[in-house]
Amino acid sequence: MPSEPIRNTTARWRALDVRHHLSPFADYKSLKQDEGGSRIITQAEGIYLTDSEGHRLLDGMAGLWCVNVGYGRAELAEAAYRQMLELPYYNTFFKTATPPAVELSEKLAEIAPEGLNRAFFGSSGSESNDSVVRLVRRYWNLRGQPEKSHIVSRTYAYHGSTMASASLGGMVGMQEGFGLPLPGFHHVMPPYWFDFAEAGETPADFGRRAAKAVEDKILEIGPDKVGAFIGEPIQGAGGVIIPPETYWPEIQRICSQYDVLLVADEVICGFGRTGRWFASEAFGIAPDLMTLAKGITSGYVPLSAVLVSDKVGEVLESGEGEFAHGYTYSGHPVACAVALANIALIERDGLVEKVRHETGPYLAECLQSLSDHPLVGQVRSFGLLGAIELVEDKASRKHFEPLGRVGTLCRDHCFQNGLVMRAVRDGMVLSPPLIIETAEIDALVETARRCLDLTAKDLGIAL
């Protein structure tokens, strides 16, 4: 049992949390009525979290898809400390720059796919996707085609929480009640074979059909009005939706044919998570704009960026007048210094190669061992992104009703058994830190199976 002082401290924090703290994506009425209150995380090291009552949890989500180099890296804390002593803050407005922002811009150009040689900084993926909308419209205005202001996205896409980025996204729950999406944002089916394929349709055929939905939408709106298509190479928060191999080559062709900018949102996929620096490399995507955040600093401090292709950058630089957009913290020197140190750690420790050749394949193998479980309709993974689909009937891929109830049951069992996994509808998703070892993957998957068993028992399903 925890000691009395710890119990009192936890109770106090929980009371203050309910009284004063409005958490994101929270049901405030339910949270206030929950006698247990919030879990208070107080420490972290490596791939493990510790809460205020001393419980240890394997963080299978790397925070929110972001703590790529793991917790407790002194190198990142020291980089922030040194920069704070030297120059804690200055803006990058009014023909001004700082060394960390300039040097990080160069480093990103070095590791990014060919042709992405300019960076526009923000503090979050939401901010940077908001900037994407501005950049797309600025580009077409300078090209003399201001009517090309519409942007096509996908159902279950997640591109952030600002009014513009939530409009880019395809999460209905983030739009209802907020007057979203804003005009000019359109959504088509995602490349999600498990839920959207027709009977007998192969993944390859489905991939082509999902891409054609983008083409059909461009033609419906009018190619002269569509400025961009945006997509995550792998849809993370939408449920780790891994597209068939036929999908992205068709998307690339379609965007080229109709003169539509292609935006790759690499906020989740970037900085080694797929076994490449960026998932665009793995899928052969040549983006005109690429959004980065999360793994850019491994979540240690807020930072994001939009990488801009030469094609777009040269037009921006040729236009008259200023690009009237930016943030107080664009290119924050401390955040950029931490990002440089973070990228250096990823390079030094060979984490990209480790994910590609060792831990990514091992995670895929271990997850496949769960396929025999009566609740599991499909497992899928790419690098250190994975998903386990929970179904009522394997043959028909039928989900339980109401959708999301069983996923929540399983998620709660995971928390109670020392594993952080996230439920998206009835899919259990994971993205552990890139430093995870094979023995720790064994422990993760063993705990996941135990929690699947507990969920089946709740549902009265025999094992």
Side-chain angles (χ1 to χ4, degrees):
M1 293 289 292
S3 64
E4 192 67 20
I6 292 177
R7 200 160 52 234
N8 288 339
T9 300
T10 299
R12 175 176 175 271
W13 282 331
R14 286 174 174 163
L16 291 174
D17 179 59
V18 170
R19 190 176 306 137
H20 299 296
H21 180 211
L22 292 176
S23 303
F25 288 90
D27 180 335
Y28 297 125
K29 181 178 180 181
S30 175
L31 192 60
K32 192 166 186 175
Q33 293 173 345
D34 184 352
E35 293 183 4
S38 296
R39 183 187 301 277
I40 308 296
I41 302 298
T42 56
Q43 292 178 299
E45 184 70 25
I47 68 166
Y48 291 95
L49 305 167
T50 304
D51 70 17
S52 58
E53 296 178 297
H55 302 126
R56 194 167 182 247
L57 301 98
L58 192 163
D59 186 4
M61 286 304 302
L64 274 177
W65 322 82
C66 57
V67 188
N68 287 9
V69 300
Y71 297 97
R73 302 304 294 259
E75 300 95 329
L76 303 191
E78 289 163 1
Y81 176 72
R82 288 192 302 269
Q83 186 59 48
M84 284 185 177
L85 291 179
E86 185 170 320
L87 178 67
Y89 169 75
Y90 199 69
N91 67 76
T92 55
F93 288 35
F94 319 123
K95 295 179 68 175
T96 303
T98 66
V102 172
E103 290 174 10
L104 179 59
S105 299
E106 178 192 35
K107 186 62 181 179
L108 292 173
E110 175 190 318
I111 63 176
E114 185 176 356
L116 295 168
N117 288 310
R118 297 162 177 82
F120 185 90
F121 292 112
S123 297
S124 69
S126 297
E127 283 187 0
S128 282
N129 278 325
D130 198 289
S131 297
V132 160
V133 177
R134 308 282 191 102
L135 286 162
V136 167
R137 292 182 175 177
R138 173 71 170 169
Y139 172 82
W140 289 114
N141 284 339
L142 292 173
R143 287 276 306 272
Q145 297 173 270
E147 66 279 2
K148 281 178 76 74
S149 61
H150 293 250
I151 300 178
V152 177
S153 179
R154 302 172 300 183
T155 302
Y156 296 151
Y158 185 86
H159 297 298
S161 288
T162 66
M163 295 288 277
S165 60
S167 295
L168 284 174
M171 301 288 193
V172 174
M174 294 178 64
Q175 297 171 344
E176 291 179 337
F178 300 105
L180 301 177
L182 298 170
F185 297 89
H186 310 267
H187 302 85
V188 300
M189 66 184 289
Y192 188 10
W193 178 88
F194 190 83
D195 264 16
F196 286 80
E198 296 174 349
E201 189 174 27
T202 67
D205 287 342
F206 171 74
R208 284 185 282 268
R209 181 164 68 86
K212 188 175 184 301
V214 175
E215 183 172 29
D216 290 345
K217 182 59 71 173
I218 291 171
L219 292 172
E220 175 191 325
I221 301 164
D224 59 330
K225 292 183 174 61
V226 178
F229 167 78
I230 186 169
E232 304 148 88
I234 296 171
Q235 291 178 245
V240 183
I241 299 169
I242 303 169
E245 292 181 358
T246 52
Y247 181 77
W248 277 111
E250 272 297 283
I251 293 294
Q252 192 81 52
R253 178 195 65 76
I254 290 163
C255 289
S256 177
Q257 179 176 339
Y258 297 105
D259 198 15
V260 168
L261 295 177
L262 198 165
V263 184
D265 182 338
E266 293 259 12
V267 168
I268 284 175
C269 296
F271 298 96
R273 183 148 298 282
T274 62
R276 305 289 193 282
W277 274 104
F278 303 101
S280 292
E281 303 166 59
F283 290 100
I285 305 167
D288 296 300
L289 299 166
M290 191 163 80
T291 316
L292 310 175
K294 296 189 184 288
I296 195 171
T297 64
S298 285
Y300 276 54
V301 289
L303 182 67
S304 64
V306 182
L307 296 191
V308 178
S309 68
D310 294 337
K311 167 185 168 180
V312 174
E314 288 165 5
V315 171
L316 297 175
E317 292 167 359
S318 71
E320 297 291 335
E322 69 177 4
F323 178 52
H325 172 64
Y327 308 103
T328 299
Y329 300 121
S330 291
H332 193 292
V334 175
C336 291
V338 172
L340 285 163
N342 177 66
I343 293 168
L345 272 181
I346 294 172
E347 290 179 319
R348 187 197 74 187
D349 295 349
L351 294 181
V352 178
E353 294 76 18
K354 179 178 181 177
V355 173
R356 188 190 313 173
H357 299 299
E358 182 186 350
T359 50
Y362 192 74
L363 177 65
E365 178 185 340
C366 291
L367 286 178
Q368 283 299 327
S369 72
L370 299 175
S371 296
D372 63 350
H373 196 280
L375 287 182
V376 176
Q378 185 193 50
V379 295
R380 53 184 181 269
S381 68
F382 199 114
L384 288 184
L385 285 166
I388 307 163
E389 290 278 1
L390 308 184
V391 295
E392 184 176 359
D393 182 75
K394 288 174 178 270
S396 65
R397 307 197 299 270
K398 179 186 176 185
H399 288 289
F400 291 92
E401 294 182 0
L403 188 63
R405 178 178 67 92
V406 173
T408 301
L409 281 174
C410 189
R411 180 204 66 189
D412 291 346
H413 281 303
C414 288
F415 279 140
Q416 292 158 11
N417 284 271
L419 173 62
V420 178
M421 285 181 69
R422 182 173 173 179
V424 177
R425 299 177 299 279
D426 280 340
M428 304 305 299
V429 301
L430 67 153
S431 67
L434 308 190
I435 62 167
I436 195 169
E437 301 291 349
T438 54
E440 293 166 331
I441 291 174
D442 288 338
L444 187 160
V445 174
E446 179 183 340
T447 304
R449 180 176 283 276
R450 181 161 67 251
C451 295
L452 290 170
D453 289 348
L454 291 169
T455 305
K457 182 178 178 182
D458 290 342
L459 298 170
I461 295 173
L463 298 172

